[in-house]
């Protein structure tokens, strides 16, 4: 007998003992001998429903009436002489006969079917106990009813899943506790006060009988003792164990087939277990004390849980299922010591704000994810997770959707054009919003405006050092400052690998700080100068210690092509290990990859040749039969380049191939270090420059942090290639502390502070000068005021920033110098309609008035015969400077358009005569707005993508990189969403709303209509969507119900991990849409709170 069977046997013996002692203490009711009894007497659920209107009386009389119906003698045992009945064929025959004549019901009747149902089943039930039969037949006339007497041994009961379940244990548990709280327990004086309190707790539903129907009381008893509902979590492991014992699952199912056993087999199993179990040697009093002690422990556990309010399980307050899923999806069996320390910090337990910083690859994200789970599952609050890049948002949405499916919360993506403002208000499920910095700010604004910011229990910020990164840092600072100022209960967690002035960030976020130098893999830093390699040694006077000389033999020709000996450094690790080569420019990435292939051994081609051929085939499929010639040359050697010039599909394929070991080397730009995690055994920095700028310490640390793969490598190493003239700068680079993180609200001509003031006044967070000054003091700029404001007071800075806002007619109010200071400080400022539309649409203040004028002008002659005019209106203003028109291409594109399309040129201000002269090189005397001309050129690129849906073909037509065009398309989709929100706030632009809504959706995907629903799933790009569609997965519903194992077999280059993530993401998106529709239905059917009272005529 195993441990579980022993526990079940012991548990069932205890309950039988309790029943025996209880019956001995009550008035006897003469019954036939046990051998003649037939246990078909049952009260059904429909009869419970029919008794809803009956009056329920206090517990004392209830217990007495209830015990009058108990079918057993006070002087005899439940089974009388049947201490051993396994061989008693007479009893078993009677049992089988009773089972055969017992009614089996598969559903509960409703409405007028109750009486017919009752009449139909009653003749089939035979009762040997006449007292109980009379009692049951007179249910309609009885008024003294116990809510638990309807919970009897019923066979054929169905649970919510349609499977039969036995509730005999419910009867036993309910009868026993009913007798216990009635006071029929031996030696009641020995019960401690907490046990009496427990019995009062069991009795409480009976005391409240006047406000509850019989059905609700029965439901409460079932939920209290036998929790079968899968969505209701148990309070503790101990309670779960006890309930599992009471349910006796092993007694009701066949362990071999897992099928439901018949009543006969269930009774045989249960009674056989009781008969074979050893009889207890202790006295009845001692047994009762043991039961009381067990209940005491349960009460104590419940008390602990009630005081903590968040403890749901053994894994840092979370169910153990979280730990299992972390191992299943991430392969992590055990947390690092620092992770355990961080999660058990007193500040974390008390929900204080926290900043924690560790080197790259130290496992920071896992800690954040556990804290997110605690907030969602234990505290039942929404969570905002802020990430710097769209690719990281999509990766995290895919990774956490599996947890959302398992634990019934929603994962919502806010990146690019995705995300709803304000978010849909969920009444049952909680939401995890995963957002880019810009989208997070818009989300916070919408929650403040709808007064729902308090629903946000936790905000997690990855790469907190982004606070110091230009305009994006200013937006992040605005969002965090608003949360800190308005919602005092929201916890903020910030994490970063590169932080220096932590004390100032602590002051700003009012946070504790935790740091560690832990790295799962040891990192060694080297610098290469000429043929020598030096190890970085902070203990040395010049910070370098000689390590070795390069031994690779170079020919004179190779020396000219590769003077920095990159080939020698690379061949020391590949193809056995992986390598990343960071290059200063995109063009250099491509050149280095071509150069390496030229001198690598031909044996590289034979390694994983089949997988490489499949990768080339896939890259060609993405380009509709076209592949980059450089990739065609490098991939057979296991090499590829990686930069923003690639399309999203190409980058994703290359990243997956590198992670799978098909590619062993990537030449890349610095953006890879800040994006998706792609570690390597060796990281080589081709130059200490990014374009023409010398590396920052933070950039250097991020790049070398990719060296060393946890669980694969025992150590990682980085090599920085430098020249003699840069030696001093490199020495400073490897030795100096990290750069400080400064506020960027004053960056770019005070752009950040102007945006902040507009939103503060528009959201009514601070509308007077004194409140604005108070708010500004709580920002990072307020903390660093002395360093950044150069002696200016906040009041002066605020007035200077408000002045241009008033000139643009975004804010109205009095700011005259003639008014007294006191009046001025308390004067209320208001945003105009244009100002409100500007901050709601997150429109750049530099372009808000231009956008307003463009939209007004286009209303006079909007061309709707095609999408070109609308596309021009959503072409991003800030990308115009990144492109110079090719005038011959411009001229040819004009003549390839039809007459209606050519009409748009004249409307926006690009005449044909101007293009003709520019293309022929003639001087142009007519004044034409150059900004409009350049912007319309980008509009033509977008329009070609919109129509042809082939990035490669359009890239060749306009002589642009395909990566730039895809970035342009993504920016246009995001800006279109912003323009839509802008138009929604201005009545004069009502006609644009439906047009921009449709255009935003089309620009977001820019593919054939049948692929759109598949591409809505996070991480499914065009190439993958085409694969899925060809395989028969034609919509979101198909994908949500797909089998990951089948996907792996039918879709090329799809790993099992990717298949599981895609299916989980599809399920999450489907649930999200269903929830939204359900919320809409409930809102429509909800009775208005302020409904006028209706007079009822007699």
């Amino acid at each position: 007998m195993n441990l579980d069977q022993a526990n079940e046997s012991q548990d069932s013996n205890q309950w039988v003992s309790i029943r025996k002692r209880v019956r001995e203490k009550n008035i006897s009711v003469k019954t036939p001998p046990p051998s003649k009894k037939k246990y078909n007497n049952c009260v059904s659920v429909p009869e419970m429903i029919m008794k809803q209107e009956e009056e329920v009386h206090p517990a004392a009389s209830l217990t007495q009436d209830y015990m009058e119906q108990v079918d057993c003698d006070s002087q005899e045992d439940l089974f009388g002489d049947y201490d051993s009945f396994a061989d008693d064929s007479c009893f078993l025959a009677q049992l089988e006969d009773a089972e055969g004549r017992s009614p089996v019901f598969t559903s509960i009747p409703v409405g007028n079917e109750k009486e017919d149902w009752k009449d139909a089943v009653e003749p089939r039930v035979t009762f040997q106990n006449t007292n109980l039969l009379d009692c049951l037949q007179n249910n309609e006339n009885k008024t003294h009813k116990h809510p638990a007497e309807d919970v009897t041994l019923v066979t054929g009961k169905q649970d919510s899943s349609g499977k039969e379940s036995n509730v005999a244990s419910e009867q036993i548990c309910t009868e026993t506790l009913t007798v216990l709280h009635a006071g029929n327990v031996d030696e009641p004086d020995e019960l401690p006060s907490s046990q009496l309190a427990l019995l009062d707790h069991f009795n409480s539903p009976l005391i409240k009988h006047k406000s509850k129907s019989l059905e609700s009381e029965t439901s409460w008893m079932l939920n209290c003792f036998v929790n079968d509902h899968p969505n209701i979590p148990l309070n503790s492991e101990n309670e779960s164990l006890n309930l599992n014992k009471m349910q006796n699952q092993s007694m009701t199912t066949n362990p071999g087939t897992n099928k439901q056993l018949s009543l006969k087999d269930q009774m045989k199993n249960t009674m056989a277990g009781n008969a074979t179990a050893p009889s207890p040697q202790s006295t009845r009093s001692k047994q009762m004390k043991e039961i009381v002690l067990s209940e005491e422990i349960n009460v104590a556990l419940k008390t602990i849980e009630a005081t903590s309010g968040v403890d749901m399980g053994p894994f840092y307050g979370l169910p153990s299922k979280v730990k299992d899923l972390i191992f299943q999806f991430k392969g992590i069996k055990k947390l690092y010591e620092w992770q355990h320390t961080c999660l058990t910090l007193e500040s974390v337990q008390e929900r204080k704000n926290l900043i924690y910083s560790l080197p790259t690859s130290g496992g920071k994200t896992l800690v954040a994810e556990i804290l997110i789970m605690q907030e969602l599952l234990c505290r039942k609050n929404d969570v905002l997770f802020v990430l710097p890049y769209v690719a990281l948002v999509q990766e995290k949405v895919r990774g956490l959707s599996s947890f959302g499916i398992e634990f019934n919360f929603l994962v919502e993506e806010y990146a690019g054009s995705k995300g709803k403002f304000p978010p849909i208000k969920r009444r049952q499920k909680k939401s995890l919003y995963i957002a880019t910095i810009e989208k997070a700010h818009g989300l916070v604004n919408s929650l403040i405006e709808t007064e729902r910011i308090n629903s946000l229990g936790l905000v997690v910020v990855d790469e907190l050092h982004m606070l110091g990164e230009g305009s994006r840092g200013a937006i992040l600072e605005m969002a965090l400052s608003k949360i800190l100022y308005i919602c005092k209960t929201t916890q903020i967690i910030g994490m970063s690998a590169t932080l220096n002035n932590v004390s100032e960030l602590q002051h700003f976020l009012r946070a504790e700080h935790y740091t560690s130098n832990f790295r799962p893999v040891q990192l060694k830093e080297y610098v290469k100068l000429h043929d020598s390699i030096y190890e970085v040694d902070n203990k040395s006077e010049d910070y370098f210690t000689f390590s070795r000389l390069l031994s690779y033999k170079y020919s004179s020709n190779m020396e000219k092509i590769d003077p920095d000996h990159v080939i020698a450094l690379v061949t020391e690790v590949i193809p056995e290990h992986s390598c990343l080569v960071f290059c200063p420019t995109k063009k250099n990435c491509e050149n280095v990859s071509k150069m390496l292939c030229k001198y690598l051994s031909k044996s590289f081609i034979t390694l994983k040749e089949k997988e490489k051929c499949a990768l080339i085939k896939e890259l060609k499929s993405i380009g509709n039969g076209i592949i980059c010639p450089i990739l065609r040359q490098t991939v057979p050697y296991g090499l590829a380049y990686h930069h923003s010039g690639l399309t999203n599909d190409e980058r994703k394929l290359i990243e997956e191939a590198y992670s799978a070991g098909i590619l062993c080397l990537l030449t890349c730009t610095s953006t890879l270090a800040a994006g998706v995690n792609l570690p390597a055994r060796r990281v080589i920095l081709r130059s200490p420059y990014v374009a023409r700028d010398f590396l920052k310490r933070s950039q250097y640390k991020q790049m070398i942090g990719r060296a060393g793969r946890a669980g694969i490598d025992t150590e990682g190493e980085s090599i920085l290639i430098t020249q003699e003239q840069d030696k001093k700068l490199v020495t400073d680079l490897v030795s100096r502390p990290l750069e400080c993180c400064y506020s960027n609200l004053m960056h770019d001509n005070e752009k950040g502070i102007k945006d902040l003031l507009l939103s503060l006044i528009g959201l009514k967070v601070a509308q007077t000068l004194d409140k604005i000054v108070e708010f500004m003091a709580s920002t990072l700029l307020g903390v660093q005021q002395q360093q950044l404001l150069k002696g200016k007071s906040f009041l002066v800075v605020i007035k200077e920033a408000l002045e241009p806002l008033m000139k643009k007619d975004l804010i109205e109010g009095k700011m005259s110098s003639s008014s007294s200071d006191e009046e001025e400080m308390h004067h209320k400022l208001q945003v105009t309609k244009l100002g409100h539309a500007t901050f709601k649409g997150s429109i750049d203040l530099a372009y808000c008035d231009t956008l307003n004028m463009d939209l007004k002008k286009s209303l006079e002659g909007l061309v709707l015969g095609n999408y070109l005019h609308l596309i021009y209106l959503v072409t991003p203003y800030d990308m115009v400077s990144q492109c110079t028109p090719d005038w011959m291409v411009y001229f040819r594109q004009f003549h390839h358009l039809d007459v209606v399309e050519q009409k748009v040129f004249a409307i926006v201000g690009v005449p044909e005569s101007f293009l003709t002269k520019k293309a022929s090189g003639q001087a142009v005397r007519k004044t034409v707005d150059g900004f409009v001309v350049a912007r319309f050129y980008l509009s033509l690129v977008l329009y070609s993508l919109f129509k042809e849906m082939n990035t490669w073909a359009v890239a060749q037509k306009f002589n642009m990189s395909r990566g730039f065009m895809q970035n342009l398309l993504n920016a246009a989709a995001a800006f279109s969403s912003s323009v839509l929100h802008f138009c929604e706030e201005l009545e004069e632009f009502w006609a644009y709303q439906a047009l921009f809504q449709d255009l935003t959706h089309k620009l977001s995907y820019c593919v054939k209509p049948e692929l759109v629903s598949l591409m809505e799933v996070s991480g499914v790009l065009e190439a993958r969507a085409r694969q899925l569609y060809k395989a028969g997965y034609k919509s979101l519903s198909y994908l949500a119900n797909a089998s990951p194992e089948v996907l792996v077999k039918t879709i090329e280059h799809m790993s099992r991990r990717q298949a599981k993530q895609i299916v989980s993401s599809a399920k999450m998106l489907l649930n999200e849409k269903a929830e939204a529709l359900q919320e809409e239905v409930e809102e429509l059917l909800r009775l208005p709170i302020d409904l006028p009272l209706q007079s009822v005529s007699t």
Side-chain angles (χ1 to χ4, degrees):
M1 180 183 294
N2 60 30
L3 182 60
D4 291 340
Q5 291 174 333
N7 289 339
E8 290 176 359
S9 176
Q10 182 180 358
D11 184 72
S12 54
N13 287 336
Q14 290 178 348
W15 283 116
V16 170
S17 300
I18 294 171
R19 288 177 59 98
K20 291 179 181 180
R21 291 194 298 276
V22 166
R23 285 192 294 273
E24 290 173 4
K25 298 295 293 182
N26 287 280
I27 302 173
S28 64
V29 178
K30 294 299 181 180
T31 59
S35 60
K36 298 180 181 180
K37 290 181 183 179
K38 295 185 180 181
Y39 290 87
N40 349 25
N41 43 344
C42 63
V43 181
S44 61
V45 175
E47 291 175 329
M48 289 192 280
I49 298 174
M50 294 169 62
K51 293 181 280 186
Q52 291 180 9
E53 303 292 333
E54 298 179 10
E55 181 180 358
V56 183
H57 285 269
S61 60
L62 292 178
T63 306
Q64 182 177 356
D65 286 354
Y66 169 70
M67 292 309 299
E68 289 175 0
Q69 300 179 46
V70 176
D71 188 20
C72 57
D73 197 310
S74 62
Q75 302 299 322
E76 61 185 353
D77 202 338
L78 176 63
F79 298 105
D81 298 329
Y82 286 94
D83 291 333
S84 178
F85 57 87
D87 297 324
D88 191 326
S89 60
C90 178
F91 181 83
L92 296 178
Q94 294 177 16
L95 181 61
E96 184 172 5
D97 180 64
E99 180 183 3
R101 292 186 286 116
S102 296
V104 179
F105 309 113
T106 59
S107 63
I108 299 173
V110 295
N112 296 329
E113 296 176 0
K114 292 179 181 179
E115 294 298 331
D116 297 338
W117 179 86
K118 183 176 179 182
D119 294 339
V121 299
E122 281 181 344
R124 299 178 59 190
V125 184
T126 304
F127 294 90
Q128 294 296 328
N129 189 329
T130 57
N131 292 335
L132 184 56
L133 177 61
D134 293 339
C135 189
L136 292 175
Q137 288 176 340
N138 294 321
N139 273 342
E140 296 292 337
N141 301 323
K142 280 193 178 267
T143 58
H144 298 277
K145 304 295 295 177
H146 194 289
E149 72 184 30
D150 289 330
V151 187
T152 58
L153 183 60
V154 181
T155 62
K157 180 181 176 182
Q158 291 192 351
D159 57 21
S160 59
S161 63
K163 297 179 180 180
E164 293 184 352
S165 59
N166 185 278
V167 293
S169 58
E170 298 175 9
Q171 176 197 17
I172 296 172
C173 183
T174 308
E175 289 177 353
T176 304
L177 290 172
T178 303
V179 175
L180 283 174
H181 79 245
N184 295 321
V185 183
D186 287 340
E187 302 173 359
D189 293 336
E190 295 181 14
L191 293 178
S193 59
S194 59
Q195 178 64 15
L196 294 174
L198 176 67
L199 298 182
D200 289 341
H201 171 66
F202 290 147
N203 193 36
S204 61
L206 304 177
I207 304 301
K208 299 177 181 178
H209 66 278
K210 294 183 180 180
S211 61
K212 295 183 179 179
S213 66
L214 184 59
E215 184 180 36
S216 64
E217 291 185 356
T218 307
S219 174
W220 182 92
M221 296 294 288
L222 288 174
N223 287 335
C224 183
F225 304 128
V226 185
N227 190 346
D228 286 328
H229 201 289
N231 294 328
I232 303 177
L234 300 177
N235 290 332
S236 65
E237 282 189 334
N238 192 37
E239 181 178 342
S240 175
L241 181 62
N242 290 337
L243 293 179
N244 287 336
K245 288 179 180 180
M246 288 191 291
Q247 287 177 315
N248 286 325
Q249 296 296 331
S250 62
M251 298 298 183
T252 61
T253 58
N254 189 320
T257 63
N258 201 29
K259 294 182 179 178
Q260 186 71 26
L261 298 179
S262 66
L263 173 63
K264 174 182 175 181
D265 292 334
Q266 293 177 36
M267 293 288 290
K268 286 170 65 177
N269 286 353
T270 304
M271 292 187 288
N274 292 343
T276 57
S279 58
Q281 301 299 320
S282 57
T283 64
R284 181 173 60 189
S285 175
K286 184 176 181 181
Q287 292 174 12
M288 285 304 301
K289 287 181 179 180
E290 291 174 355
I291 294 173
V292 168
L293 178 60
S294 176
E295 295 296 344
E296 284 279 5
I297 295 172
N298 287 338
V299 172
L301 289 173
K302 291 177 181 177
T303 304
I304 294 172
E305 292 165 5
T307 54
S308 66
V310 298
D311 194 3
M312 287 182 62
F315 185 67
Y316 301 101
L318 292 167
S320 57
K321 183 67 174 177
V322 174
K323 183 179 180 181
D324 297 338
L325 289 179
I326 289 174
F327 173 67
Q328 180 181 343
F329 297 126
K330 299 177 182 291
I332 299 173
K333 294 182 179 179
K334 185 179 179 182
L335 268 63
Y336 296 129
E337 185 177 345
W338 83 262
Q339 291 172 326
H340 172 74
T341 303
C342 186
L343 287 168
T344 53
L345 288 173
E346 185 178 351
S347 56
V348 174
Q349 303 298 321
E350 295 175 359
R351 296 192 76 248
K352 293 181 180 178
N353 296 346
L354 176 70
I355 299 171
Y356 63 98
S357 54
L358 286 94
T360 302
S361 304
K364 298 183 295 296
T365 306
L366 181 60
V367 171
E369 290 176 358
I370 292 174
L371 294 174
I372 287 170
M373 294 293 172
Q374 289 178 349
E375 196 68 29
L376 287 165
L377 304 183
C378 303
R379 302 185 185 97
K380 305 295 183 184
N381 291 322
D382 294 334
V383 176
L384 173 60
F385 194 178
V386 185
L387 295 159
Y389 304 108
V390 174
L392 293 178
V393 169
Q394 293 174 341
E395 182 185 36
K396 198 55 63 179
V397 168
R398 293 194 302 271
L400 292 176
S401 289
S402 302
F403 291 87
I405 294 295
E406 185 70 32
F407 297 109
N408 205 30
F409 63 82
L410 297 174
V411 179
E412 301 186 38
E413 179 181 345
Y414 280 77
S417 60
K418 292 185 178 180
K420 187 175 180 61
F421 299 106
I424 297 173
K425 189 175 183 180
R426 318 285 182 180
R427 288 177 174 78
Q428 296 180 355
K429 294 185 177 181
K430 296 303 174 183
S431 293
L432 167 58
Y433 309 112
I434 304 181
T436 56
I437 293 171
E438 293 78 8
K439 286 290 184 177
H441 185 222
L443 183 67
V444 169
N445 283 345
S446 66
L447 290 174
I448 293 172
E449 188 173 26
T450 54
E451 299 181 351
R452 289 165 51 195
I453 191 64
N454 287 318
S455 67
L456 213 56
L458 174 66
V459 175
V460 177
V461 182
D462 194 9
E463 308 295 352
L464 187 63
H465 65 272
M466 290 292 292
L467 280 168
E469 299 291 328
S471 59
R472 302 195 77 208
I475 294 172
L476 179 58
E477 182 180 346
M478 285 187 266
L480 293 176
S481 298
K482 289 171 185 174
I483 294 170
L484 288 165
Y485 186 79
I486 297 170
C487 189
K488 308 297 183 184
T489 59
T490 301
Q491 184 183 19
I492 296 177
I493 303 291
M495 53 179 170
S496 179
T498 52
L499 289 174
N500 186 23
N501 55 332
V502 178
S503 59
E504 291 180 337
L505 297 179
Q506 281 185 261
H507 189 184
F508 165 49
L509 295 177
R510 306 160 203 168
E512 304 288 330
H513 180 234
Y514 175 83
T515 186
S516 171
N517 292 321
F518 172 82
R519 270 187 62 93
V521 178
Q522 183 184 3
L523 172 64
K524 293 184 178 180
E525 298 178 43
Y526 297 95
V527 171
K528 176 190 169 296
L529 183 62
H530 305 304
D531 291 338
S532 301
I533 295 179
Y534 301 88
E535 184 174 359
V536 176
D537 184 5
N538 292 327
K539 297 179 181 178
S540 175
E541 292 184 3
D542 58 357
Y543 296 101
F544 299 114
T545 302
F546 177 78
S547 178
R548 63 188 174 92
L549 285 172
L550 278 176
S551 58
Y552 193 88
K553 294 182 180 180
Y554 269 74
S555 65
S556 59
N557 189 35
M558 285 180 64
E559 193 75 38
K560 292 177 182 179
I561 295 175
D562 183 25
D564 294 325
H565 308 109
V566 176
I567 297 173
L569 295 174
V570 161
T571 51
E572 288 179 346
V573 289
I574 65 170
E576 291 83 7
H577 302 286
S578 57
C579 182
L580 293 175
V581 181
F582 284 101
C583 303
T585 65
K586 290 184 284 188
K587 190 64 178 175
N588 191 239
C589 286
E590 299 172 11
N591 293 337
V592 169
S593 63
K594 287 193 296 183
M595 183 259 305
L596 290 172
C597 290
K598 188 174 181 180
Y599 290 99
L600 285 178
S601 170
K602 298 298 180 183
S603 62
F604 278 71
I605 299 177
T606 60
L607 299 172
K608 299 187 178 181
E609 188 173 2
K610 184 179 178 181
E611 291 86 347
K612 292 172 186 174
C613 289
L615 176 59
I616 291 175
K617 182 180 177 182
E618 195 67 26
L619 288 168
K620 188 180 293 186
S621 174
I622 288 174
N624 292 323
I626 304 173
I627 184 174
C628 171
I630 299 174
L631 290 177
R632 182 194 293 274
Q633 178 186 352
T634 61
V635 168
Y637 287 88
L639 280 62
Y641 67 88
H642 183 289
H643 58 61
S644 60
L646 296 169
T647 64
N648 292 337
D649 284 316
E650 288 173 323
R651 278 203 299 269
K652 190 171 180 62
L653 263 182
I654 288 171
E655 289 167 2
E656 290 173 356
Y658 177 80
S659 299
I662 299 171
L663 299 176
C664 58
L665 182 143
L666 295 181
T667 58
C668 50
T669 55
S670 60
T671 53
L672 184 139
V676 178
N677 186 22
L678 295 174
R681 172 65 175 269
R682 176 176 288 181
V683 169
I684 300 171
L685 279 68
R686 175 77 173 74
S687 168
Y689 289 87
V690 174
R692 296 181 180 180
D693 300 324
F694 196 81
L695 276 176
K696 296 180 182 178
R697 172 73 171 169
S698 57
Q699 291 175 318
Y700 170 73
K701 295 294 286 185
Q702 271 194 332
M703 290 179 184
I704 68 172
R706 296 300 182 196
R709 298 166 298 174
I712 300 175
D713 299 325
T714 56
E715 66 178 16
E717 55 186 18
S718 68
I719 301 176
L720 171 60
I721 300 174
T722 187
Q723 308 302 324
E724 189 67 41
Q725 63 269 23
D726 294 324
K727 186 176 179 181
K728 289 184 178 179
L729 291 174
V730 169
T731 303
D732 185 51
L733 175 67
V734 299
S735 61
R736 69 169 179 253
L738 295 166
E739 293 84 6
C740 291
C741 184
Y742 291 110
S743 170
N744 276 273
L745 290 178
M746 303 295 289
H747 175 74
D748 194 12
N749 195 27
E750 302 179 351
K751 178 178 174 292
I753 196 169
K754 292 173 186 175
D755 283 330
L756 177 57
L757 293 177
L758 181 62
S759 62
L760 287 179
I761 298 169
L763 294 170
K764 300 179 181 178
V765 174
Q767 292 183 279
T768 59
L769 284 177
D770 60 334
K771 289 293 183 182
I772 293 173
V773 170
E774 179 186 335
F775 180 92
M776 294 302 298
S778 65
T779 63
L780 180 60
L781 179 62
V783 176
Q784 299 171 336
Q785 179 179 359
Q786 293 182 349
Q787 301 161 264
L788 301 178
L789 296 187
K790 300 177 182 178
K792 288 184 180 179
S793 67
F794 261 133
L795 186 58
V796 173
V797 172
I798 291 168
K799 285 184 177 181
E800 289 178 354
L802 285 173
E803 190 173 336
L805 296 178
M806 290 183 173
K807 287 182 179 179
K808 285 178 176 286
D809 195 28
L810 301 175
I811 290 177
E812 55 188 11
K814 294 181 179 180
M815 293 286 293
S816 60
S817 56
S818 59
S819 60
S820 66
D821 291 341
E822 189 66 26
E823 290 179 1
E824 189 179 54
M825 292 297 290
H826 294 89
H827 181 75
K828 204 169 188 180
L829 300 170
Q830 300 283 350
V831 293
T832 62
K833 289 184 178 180
L834 178 60
H836 194 263
T838 299
F839 89 79
K840 283 295 291 291
S842 300
I843 304 297
D844 193 324
L845 292 178
Y847 305 115
C848 64
D849 48 357
T850 306
L851 174 64
N852 189 42
M853 290 175 62
D854 285 345
L855 292 171
K856 284 182 178 179
K857 181 182 176 182
S858 297
L859 281 177
E860 300 172 3
L862 185 64
V863 178
L864 295 177
N866 52 68
Y867 279 93
L868 180 56
H869 200 171
L870 286 174
I871 287 175
Y872 170 74
L873 293 174
V874 299
T875 301
Y877 294 103
D878 56 354
M879 294 199 71
V880 174
S881 61
Q882 301 178 32
C883 175
T884 302
D886 184 321
W887 298 112
M888 283 303 299
V889 173
Y890 213 153
F891 180 75
R892 284 197 298 266
Q893 287 303 307
F894 174 83
H895 288 284
H896 287 163
L897 301 176
D898 60 32
V899 176
V900 179
E901 292 167 333
Q902 288 178 354
K903 185 180 177 181
V904 182
F905 279 71
I907 291 175
V908 301
V910 184
E912 181 183 1
S913 59
F914 172 81
L915 292 179
T916 303
K917 290 181 179 180
K918 292 294 287 186
S920 60
Q922 299 179 28
V924 179
R925 296 179 182 178
K926 187 177 179 180
T927 303
V928 177
D929 190 337
F931 185 84
V932 172
V933 172
R935 186 180 180 218
F936 195 72
Y937 185 72
L938 291 181
S939 301
L940 287 176
V941 176
L942 289 168
Y943 188 54
S944 297
L945 284 169
F946 189 83
K947 289 195 303 181
E948 298 182 31
M949 300 177 186
N950 187 331
T951 305
W952 272 95
V954 178
Q956 290 178 346
K957 183 187 298 183
F958 286 90
N959 194 24
M960 290 181 175
S961 75
R962 55 199 183 279
F964 172 79
M965 286 196 309
Q966 195 158 62
N967 291 337
L968 173 64
L969 185 62
N970 293 336
F975 187 59
S976 180
S977 177
S978 296
V979 175
L980 171 61
H981 293 306
F982 180 87
C983 292
E984 286 174 343
E985 300 302 320
L986 297 171
E987 293 181 7
E988 59 188 308
F989 296 143
W990 63 270
Y992 284 122
Q993 294 177 23
L995 297 172
F996 285 138
Q997 190 166 11
D998 176 66
L999 181 62
T1000 301
H1001 190 260
K1002 289 181 182 296
L1003 288 174
S1004 298
Y1005 304 104
C1006 208
V1007 293
K1008 294 179 180 179
E1010 61 265 23
L1011 300 180
V1012 170
S1013 62
L1014 296 175
M1015 289 185 65
E1016 287 179 342
V1017 178
S1018 182
V1020 175
L1021 303 177
E1022 182 180 357
R1024 186 70 80 194
R1026 284 205 303 265
Q1027 282 183 318
L1028 292 167
Y1029 190 83
K1030 288 178 182 178
Y1033 300 96
K1034 301 182 183 301
S1035 69
L1036 180 63
S1037 179
Y1038 283 81
L1039 201 53
N1041 292 282
S1043 166
E1045 300 299 328
V1046 175
L1047 283 178
V1048 171
K1049 294 178 181 178
T1050 55
I1051 306 299
E1052 292 184 37
H1053 309 298
M1054 181 177 284
S1055 66
R1056 184 170 284 98
R1057 176 174 173 270
Q1058 291 167 346
K1060 288 180 179 179
Q1061 286 185 343
I1062 286 175
V1063 172
S1064 296
S1065 298
K1067 286 181 179 178
M1068 177 58 64
L1069 184 58
L1070 196 65
N1071 289 347
E1072 193 177 314
K1073 290 188 173 186
E1075 284 282 328
L1077 291 173
Q1078 185 63 36
E1079 295 285 348
E1080 188 175 346
V1081 170
E1082 291 180 5
E1083 188 67 31
L1084 287 172
L1085 298 178
R1086 186 171 292 106
L1087 188 67
I1089 299 176
D1090 55 349
L1091 183 69
L1093 295 175
Q1094 306 293 323
S1095 60
V1096 182
S1097 58
T1098 58

